[in-house]
Amino acid sequence: MAVMLVTTCLTSLVIILCWHKPPIVALCFLLFFGSIELMYFSASMIKFLEGAWLPILLALFLVTVMFVWHYATIKKYEYDLHNKVSLEWLLALGPSLGIARVPGVGLVFTDLTSGIPANFSRFVTNLPAFHRVLVFVCIKSVPVPFVPPDERYLVGRVGPPAHRSYRCIVRYGYRDVHQDVDSFESELINRLADFILYDWHKSRGITDTCIDGSRSGASSSECQLAVIGTVTFSGITAFDIKGSIQPASVSVGFLTTDSISDAIEMEPVSVVERRVRFAIDNESETDTRSETDVRLQEEVQDLYAAQQAGTAFILGHTHVRAKQGSSLLKRLAINFGYNFLRRNCRGPDVALKVPPASLLEVGMVYVV
């Protein structure tokens, strides 16, 4: 009855603000339906001590559980956001520091849409090696039932092409069925190959998907993400994320707190785009195109060779702890409540259907 009473009050606001009806109409609606529901609500209150306290107690318990889970999840994301590693650190990893690149594809799962997550730095610190092809995968749920296949994958580079590092944001609707690991891996590799073809195609023209300097490795920012569709590559299969998404896209019209923060986070900071036009003869242009084709073929071959060598799924195994000086309520909620819920909920490896033989877990302690 409380839900019905609140719904009636909110509907009266909808009549005024959304339907633009006179306030007298909303007042009549509120008085007619609200008086009936208020009588039922007052009658229910009489039975509070006779057993009606039980559903209210259950509701308070469920609200507490959801609040603790949501609060700790937000704190974990903020911790990742403030402790992510710069791109220069990733590009500096090499044989001079004792870091080896091993054959295969490394899929690093993270909640961040830009930057290098802290769990990857912990992984490299404990195991000074990472895969020849590195993909930072971020799986996002969007507030729509289904995401069209041609809008599911957002792909971009992390560093120069020679580093073979990429970022992929995979978007699912709340009614989409997640793929099993084999089909997901194959689909992801195919989208990466499409993006490589698209990126090198764009690099031949006047414009470039990467900001100035990132192709040579001098910039600390990443390339813009591109939406990679399922159409067979014939020149261009993707389109830039800025300004090219049609109104029917899942990215338009569903602004939430998460989507707004993600959009802000994906924006490169302090970047000035510069376009330089050169006058070259036909022979130089042919040599440039042939060199680009060779690099394109090498990158695609390296991608599929890494897939044949095997794929490793790198996930974080987290433990959250309240910082010193926190209140007793916060310590109880984080140290006991959230960690109890996390231990008794299915892990991300189960949710993502990752086979144990291909799983690499990185232990992380979050002090929030």
Side-chain angles (χ1 to χ4, degrees):
M1 292 312 304
V3 172
M4 295 179 65
L5 187 60
V6 171
T7 303
T8 300
C9 295
L10 294 178
T11 305
S12 62
L13 295 178
V14 171
I15 293 175
I16 300 175
L17 300 178
C18 299
W19 299 348
H20 305 290
K21 300 296 182 180
I24 188 64
V25 176
L27 182 60
C28 293
F29 175 84
L30 180 62
L31 291 177
F32 179 76
F33 289 98
S35 59
I36 299 175
E37 293 163 359
L38 190 60
M39 286 189 295
Y40 278 105
F41 180 75
S42 61
S44 301
M45 293 296 294
I46 300 175
K47 297 184 177 293
F48 179 80
L49 297 178
E50 299 178 7
W53 56 270
L54 181 60
I56 296 179
L57 182 62
L58 291 176
L60 291 177
F61 174 76
L62 294 176
V63 167
T64 303
V65 170
M66 291 187 289
F67 176 78
V68 169
W69 183 270
H70 178 73
Y71 177 79
T73 303
I74 293 298
K75 289 298 181 181
K76 279 179 53 181
Y77 181 80
E78 292 177 354
Y79 182 92
D80 284 333
L81 196 60
H82 291 104
N83 291 274
K84 61 183 180 181
V85 186
S86 63
L87 182 60
E88 287 86 351
W89 176 86
L90 178 64
L91 299 180
L93 297 177
S96 60
L97 298 178
I99 306 296
R101 300 291 294 269
V102 297
V105 179
L107 301 182
V108 183
F109 287 86
T110 175
D111 292 331
L112 299 178
T113 55
S114 70
I116 311 303
N119 61 353
F120 179 73
S121 64
R122 180 67 60 87
F123 170 78
V124 176
T125 302
N126 291 276
L127 183 65
F130 58 96
H131 297 81
R132 185 68 184 93
V133 175
L134 192 64
V135 185
F136 296 96
V137 181
C138 177
I139 296 181
K140 290 290 186 181
S141 297
V142 293
V144 294
F146 301 100
V147 175
D150 55 350
E151 293 187 20
R152 175 159 294 163
Y153 293 88
L154 282 74
V155 187
R157 291 191 185 276
V158 179
H163 200 268
R164 302 296 192 262
S165 298
Y166 311 92
R167 181 177 306 281
C168 181
I169 300 177
V170 187
R171 300 183 294 182
Y172 286 98
Y174 55 82
R175 293 188 62 184
D176 279 326
V177 178
H178 287 238
Q179 301 162 292
D180 58 64
V181 65
D182 293 330
S183 60
F184 174 77
E185 177 188 348
S186 302
E187 185 75 13
L188 181 61
I189 295 299
N190 291 334
R191 295 302 139 253
L192 288 175
D194 289 344
F195 169 77
I196 293 171
L197 297 173
Y198 164 75
D199 187 62
W200 282 105
H201 174 85
K202 294 289 290 183
S203 68
R204 293 177 179 179
I206 302 300
T207 60
D208 194 353
T209 57
C210 292
I211 55 176
D212 183 51
S214 63
R215 191 167 288 281
S216 61
S219 175
S220 61
S221 299
E222 302 178 22
C223 302
Q224 291 183 3
L225 298 177
V227 179
I228 303 298
T230 57
V231 184
T232 304
F233 183 84
S234 58
I236 298 178
T237 59
F239 50 92
D240 292 339
I241 191 173
K242 294 182 178 179
S244 299
I245 300 180
Q246 300 300 323
S249 168
V250 299
S251 302
V252 179
F254 293 97
L255 288 179
T256 62
T257 304
D258 294 337
S259 62
I260 293 174
S261 62
D262 294 341
I264 295 174
E265 190 183 0
M266 284 192 290
E267 290 289 337
V269 181
S270 301
V271 174
V272 179
E273 293 189 1
R274 294 178 296 174
R275 295 182 181 178
V276 182
R277 183 171 304 203
F278 298 94
I280 56 177
D281 53 15
N282 293 331
E283 184 177 357
S284 300
E285 184 178 358
T286 303
D287 294 340
T288 302
R289 288 181 178 272
S290 61
E291 182 180 0
T292 302
D293 293 337
V294 171
R295 293 182 180 179
L296 166 62
Q297 187 176 6
E298 289 179 353
E299 188 172 1
V300 174
Q301 288 178 351
D302 288 346
L303 177 64
Y304 284 110
Q307 183 187 15
Q308 294 297 324
T311 302
F313 298 82
I314 304 173
L315 283 78
H317 185 79
T318 62
H319 178 78
V320 184
R321 187 175 68 244
K323 64 178 66 174
Q324 293 183 353
S326 300
S327 62
L328 177 61
L329 185 61
K330 181 178 179 180
R331 284 180 299 188
L332 290 175
I334 299 296
N335 297 343
F336 298 99
Y338 177 77
N339 287 316
F340 175 80
L341 294 173
R342 187 187 58 80
R343 287 193 302 267
N344 290 276
C345 294
R346 62 177 185 174
D349 55 332
V350 179
L352 298 172
K353 304 176 183 178
V354 178
S358 304
L359 176 63
L360 291 173
E361 287 190 309
V362 183
M364 284 284 296
V365 177
Y366 290 79
V367 181
V368 297

